[in-house]
Amino acid sequence: LVGYNLSPLLWSKVKNGLSAGRVQSVVLRMVCERDRKVKAFVPQEYWSIEAYLISGRSKFVASLIEFRGAKPNLNNKEVVDLALKDIEKSSPEVESLKESKKEIRPRAPFSTSTLQQTAANRLGFTSRKTMQIAQQLYQGIDLGTERVGLITYMRTDSLRLSDSAIKEVRNFIQKNYTDCLPVKPIRYDSKGRSQDAHEAVRPTFVAKKPKDLEEFLSKDQFRLYSIIWERFVACQMLPQQLQTLTIDIKFGPGIFRASSTHSVFDGFQAVLKILSTKEKRVKLPKLKSNDKLLC
């Protein structure tokens, strides 16, 4: 319908015989709408205040989250200087501590689109390059004594995994990551109108670990196979358990906040290397309410 209605407009405005693409036309509209929003955006000056605090031999940083009972509105240097003047009249002390737990679930196995997105973000591959390398892995790699297709068909919108693949990967997890095996297999539903003609993109044999195949693969083949293998194994493992400590510090009319998070159970993260989240861990000192701090 989009192409049918747009094409006559092209004939009258641009050139007779042109055809409006049913997909490209809609995408072009989205790009134009986003570009108008970017051009209409008016940037505003914004400041933040951080306190470098000391407790014994430990040093840590806290950020201003509240000033005089409200969210700080620091839109110019004059306001910031006045706030600092009020804050620095006092000494910081711990107002409250809160511990909370969080669970991070593994992501679904790859479809074509999520494989392209992850390869672009993690490996810097273009969509075309990703599909070319995936085609090579699918068609077969010479492993010395045999030629083996290492992944399932790479053009799919499905997140479905076969029963045999789930059984194989659960046996692998049981042997190698015993504590991370869920009681039941994890099923993933495809969003929208999935054709479901093919399985999700996964390794054909989970026992063929990336490091065991590295000598037979090019650098790019190895990296792409690694993220497919990691995502597949991880998707059938238990969630990661995180514990977060949040400390609020009263500093004159301001409240500053510092937080740290650490893993108490790695879960699916245990199998990830290329796909692992590289977060900078903040370590906070042991404190209690009303503890005095230096700034």
Side-chain angles (χ1 to χ4, degrees):
L1 283 174
V2 170
Y4 182 81
N5 288 319
L6 269 185
S7 294
L9 185 65
L10 290 176
W11 302 340
S12 65
K13 299 290 185 183
V14 185
K15 184 183 175 183
N16 195 40
L18 291 177
S19 177
R22 64 185 186 279
V23 176
Q24 294 93 325
S25 301
V26 179
V27 173
L28 179 61
R29 174 177 173 164
M30 292 167 70
V31 172
C32 290
E33 287 176 345
R34 178 62 59 90
D35 199 51
R36 289 193 190 106
K37 286 183 180 178
V38 170
K39 287 177 179 176
F41 176 73
V42 180
Q44 293 180 316
E45 188 174 343
Y46 177 77
W47 291 68
S48 60
I49 296 176
E50 292 183 337
Y52 290 76
L53 302 166
I54 301 171
S55 175
R57 294 183 179 180
S58 299
K59 298 178 182 179
F60 63 100
V61 181
S63 300
L64 182 69
I65 60 157
E66 186 181 304
F67 186 72
R68 298 196 185 284
K71 185 179 177 180
N73 183 22
L74 308 172
N75 53 18
N76 60 61
K77 190 174 184 300
E78 289 73 22
V79 172
V80 172
D81 287 341
L82 287 171
L84 282 173
K85 200 171 182 181
D86 284 348
I87 290 169
E88 290 172 344
K89 290 176 183 175
S90 306
S91 296
E93 66 176 54
V94 176
E95 183 176 72
S96 65
L97 299 94
K98 181 183 176 184
E99 284 191 331
S100 59
K101 288 185 177 180
K102 182 181 177 183
E103 189 175 84
I104 299 180
R105 297 182 179 278
R107 294 191 174 190
F110 284 128
S111 63
T112 301
S113 60
T114 55
L115 175 62
Q116 290 173 327
Q117 291 164 16
T118 304
N121 293 334
R122 291 285 179 165
L123 310 178
F125 289 0
T126 62
S127 293
R128 185 176 181 180
K129 181 176 180 177
T130 297
M131 297 310 289
Q132 285 176 339
I133 298 169
Q135 181 91 30
Q136 295 163 10
L137 295 172
Y138 168 70
Q139 289 181 331
I141 300 294
D142 189 351
L143 302 182
T145 57
E146 57 181 345
R147 188 173 183 83
V148 179
L150 294 178
I151 65 170
T152 54
Y153 192 55
M154 61 285 160
R155 296 187 185 278
T156 177
D157 59 358
S158 175
L159 302 180
R160 176 176 57 83
L161 296 170
S162 69
D163 291 339
S164 59
I166 290 176
K167 184 178 179 181
E168 184 185 0
V169 73
R170 281 178 62 82
N171 287 337
F172 178 86
I173 296 167
Q174 176 71 56
K175 289 179 183 177
N176 297 276
Y177 304 95
T178 309
D179 294 342
C180 301
L181 182 68
V183 176
K184 295 180 180 179
I186 304 171
R187 305 285 179 178
Y188 295 91
D189 295 324
S190 301
K191 293 180 181 178
R193 297 181 180 180
S194 169
Q195 295 178 30
D196 205 37
H198 301 279
E199 280 186 74
V201 184
R202 62 166 177 85
T204 48
F205 306 101
V206 74
K208 294 187 184 300
K209 295 180 281 188
K211 66 178 182 180
D212 297 336
L213 302 179
E214 190 168 5
E215 62 178 302
F216 303 108
L217 303 175
S218 69
K219 182 181 177 182
D220 288 340
Q221 287 173 341
F222 171 74
R223 293 165 78 202
L224 191 68
Y225 179 72
S226 294
I227 66 171
I228 294 170
W229 186 91
E230 286 183 15
R231 179 65 69 89
F232 172 59
V233 177
C235 84
Q236 291 300 316
M237 296 172 73
L238 287 171
Q240 182 187 26
Q241 304 285 343
L242 299 175
Q243 187 161 308
T244 300
L245 172 64
T246 302
I247 303 175
D248 283 358
I249 295 120
K250 184 167 177 58
F251 203 159
I255 301 293
F256 287 75
R257 178 169 292 170
S259 61
S260 68
T261 302
H262 70 278
S263 178
V264 292
F265 176 67
D266 287 341
F268 72 92
Q269 287 284 350
V271 80
L272 302 185
K273 290 184 172 61
I274 294 179
L275 288 176
S276 63
T277 304
K278 294 173 175 63
E279 294 180 347
K280 188 177 179 183
R281 297 294 183 194
V282 176
K283 192 172 182 180
L284 294 176
K286 289 184 178 180
L287 297 167
K288 56 184 185 295
S289 294
N290 302 319
D291 276 359
K292 306 294 182 184
L293 303 169
L294 295 174
C295 180

